[in-house]
């Protein structure tokens, strides 16, 4: 099983690596809807609401 990140964490990490633009949570959600990112929802996670696993 891979590492798990929240949508917010993904956006922050991508923004930190992109000097030219800020990546927002809305952008990450749009990429998921478009199929550019594959995710897996983690069920039964009490503490980290909305965590997903980004798949290769």
């Amino acid at each position: 099983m891979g590492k798990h990140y929240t949508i917010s964490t993904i956006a922050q990490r991508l923004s930190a690596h992109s000097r030219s633009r800020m990546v927002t949570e809305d952008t990450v959600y749009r990429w998921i809807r478009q199929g550019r990112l594959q995710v897996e929802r983690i069920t039964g996670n009490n503490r980290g609401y909305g965590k997903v696993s980004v798949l290769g």
Side-chain angles (χ1 to χ4, degrees):
M1 180 183 276
K3 293 184 179 184
H4 300 109
Y5 301 100
T6 63
I7 297 296
S8 176
T9 301
I10 294 167
Q12 289 171 0
R13 287 186 178 212
L14 291 173
S15 292
H17 288 91
S18 175
R19 295 178 185 216
S20 62
R21 68 177 186 174
M22 178 80 169
V23 177
T24 65
E25 291 180 30
D26 290 336
T27 300
V28 176
Y29 279 116
R30 186 173 62 246
W31 291 340
I32 292 168
R33 283 191 308 273
Q34 292 172 345
R36 295 174 69 185
L37 288 177
Q38 295 179 356
V39 297
E40 177 182 328
R41 183 172 300 278
I42 300 172
T43 58
N45 188 353
N46 295 331
R47 200 181 128 189
Y49 173 78
K51 285 195 175 184
V52 295
S53 176
V54 176
L55 307 174

